Amino acid sequence: CYFSNTNRQRLGRIIRLLIFRRLDEVADRNGIIAKRMSQFLEVEVIPPKEKSVFTDEEIRKIIECSDPFAETVLMYLFTGLRKTELLTMKTKDVHPAERYMRGGIKTKAGKNRIIPIHKIIASIVDKRMKTAGALFLGMSDKEFNSEWKRFMKLLEMNHTPHETRHTFRSLLDSAGGNQKCINLIMGHSSGEGIGEKVYTHKTIKELIDTVDLVRF
């Protein structure tokens, strides 16, 4: 079962509170304490971390950047893939000529989905295919994190890798993309079973047309 850092912290506090209340109850029953103080304790609500999207100016800066890692960042920005989804993407599942990738993890709707290749990253994908091994990116999680921190510092930005995903969703919404297509691309449930039967209703071409609405 997956827990975010925030949820893990909150779960830890709940467990500690339950343990304290149980000890408090035993101590009270055995006359060790005069009053059960645990009744006055509450679990502090941890506010979710605010996600910030890349601005248009920041995206243009990355497009114009000559640093090699800029290409990797652009692939995240224009696919909406989670960090691990692109890191584990198999080269055999990338189809530059047809302009799509097949991959995804985490949820039923997100697994084995079609991810269109945006025009902006088409040449980057073509170039990467010529040197890629079994895995398309060929980077470990540790290498990626190190490069991400270096790149953010280089461009004087402050974003997490996951904010590329929020950015892509925002770009698609702002461009007026079809919501069902957006859900399919992002791996979000759209109320229907996910699989080949869904893609007969929303073809790969429709998904490609949706991402191409985003222009820079």
Side-chain angles (χ1 to χ4, degrees):
C1 185
Y2 173 80
F3 288 99
S4 67
N5 288 334
T6 298
N7 285 335
R8 278 198 295 270
Q9 291 174 27
R10 191 167 191 273
L11 181 61
R13 293 183 185 186
I14 292 172
I15 292 172
R16 288 193 294 273
L17 178 58
L18 290 174
I19 293 172
F20 181 48
R21 283 181 174 171
R22 178 58 177 161
L23 291 172
D24 214 19
E25 178 185 347
V26 173
D28 182 39
R29 190 165 57 242
N30 287 277
I32 299 172
I33 58 176
K35 190 174 186 179
R36 291 170 59 179
M37 302 302 295
S38 62
Q39 62 183 305
F40 301 109
L41 296 178
E42 296 181 356
V43 177
E44 180 185 354
V45 176
I46 304 173
K49 181 181 178 183
E50 184 178 350
K51 301 290 184 183
S52 63
V53 299
F54 286 72
T55 65
D56 288 358
E57 182 182 355
E58 287 176 326
I59 295 174
R60 291 190 186 96
K61 192 174 180 179
I62 296 171
I63 291 172
E64 295 167 1
C65 182
S66 60
D67 188 276
F69 192 68
E71 295 182 346
T72 299
V73 178
L74 288 173
M75 282 193 284
Y76 277 97
L77 279 167
F78 288 96
T79 60
L81 285 163
R82 298 177 179 89
K83 182 180 76 169
T84 304
E85 288 178 328
L86 191 51
L87 284 177
T88 58
M89 176 73 67
K90 296 178 180 178
T91 304
K92 68 180 181 65
D93 292 326
V94 181
H95 307 278
E98 292 81 14
R99 288 189 60 194
Y100 77 90
M101 306 173 177
R102 184 182 285 274
I105 57 173
K106 192 172 180 179
T107 65
K108 181 179 178 181
K111 291 179 180 178
N112 198 35
R113 70 184 188 272
I114 297 294
I115 302 102
I117 297 174
H118 193 282
K119 290 178 181 179
I120 286 178
I121 61 170
S123 61
I124 296 173
V125 172
D126 280 335
K127 183 171 73 172
R128 187 66 61 99
M129 286 293 287
K130 294 175 183 176
T131 59
L135 293 179
F136 180 63
L137 280 190
M139 296 181 71
S140 69
D141 187 73
K142 183 177 180 180
E143 290 170 332
F144 177 89
N145 290 337
S146 176
E147 281 294 283
W148 182 272
K149 290 177 182 177
R150 180 192 64 79
F151 188 75
M152 287 292 106
K153 185 176 181 180
L154 176 68
L155 269 61
E156 299 179 332
M157 296 180 187
N158 183 26
H159 291 286
T160 66
H162 198 68
E163 286 171 352
T164 60
R165 181 169 167 82
H166 286 269
T167 300
F168 188 57
R169 174 84 201 212
S170 177
L171 290 172
L172 292 174
D173 284 334
S174 296
N178 176 279
Q179 286 301 311
K180 186 173 180 180
C181 285
I182 294 174
N183 286 338
L184 288 171
I185 293 166
M186 301 300 294
H188 293 159
S189 176
S190 58
E192 294 188 40
I194 300 299
E196 293 300 328
K197 66 178 183 179
V198 174
Y199 291 110
T200 62
H201 298 290
K202 292 295 178 188
T203 66
I204 293 175
K205 183 181 182 303
E206 286 180 280
L207 301 183
I208 292 171
D209 289 344
T210 298
V211 298
D212 281 348
L213 291 172
V214 176
R215 296 185 175 89
F216 275 88

